[in-house]
Amino acid sequence: MSETAPILIETADLSVGFNPGPREITLFNKLNLALRAGDLVCFMGPNGVGKTSLMRTLAGLQKPL
């Protein structure tokens, strides 16, 4: 896609994870991402690495760390 397409989602130094109790678990740290209109993106990886947590954070359903 063209570099002139509008940016729909952008992060700067985003940290993703959760706080299940006395300690914080960081899954991604200092993530910089810019997704433009028309981009095709695939998040791949084994179970439990944080793909869903990343998507929930990008969607605003989960607070970033």
Side-chain angles (χ1 to χ4, degrees), residues 8-25:
L8 300 178
I9 298 175
E10 184 173 24
T11 68
D13 295 331
L14 175 68
S15 292
V16 176
F18 51 94
N19 191 348
R23 64 187 182 113
E24 182 175 273
I25 298 173

Side-chain angles (χ1 to χ4, degrees), residues 21-45:
R23 64 187 182 113
E24 182 175 273
I25 298 173
T26 302
L27 301 170
F28 298 99
N29 195 25
K30 297 185 178 182
L31 178 67
N32 297 310
L33 178 70
L35 301 179
R36 296 182 179 275
D39 282 353
L40 178 63
V41 177
C42 177
F43 294 113
M44 292 177 53

Side-chain angles (χ1 to χ4, degrees), residues 3-4 18 22 33 36 38-41 47 50 55 57-59 61 64:
E3 291 277 332
T4 59
F18 51 94
L33 178 70
R36 296 182 179 275
D39 282 353
L40 178 63
V41 177
N47 293 342
M55 295 300 294
T57 302
L58 292 175
L61 300 172

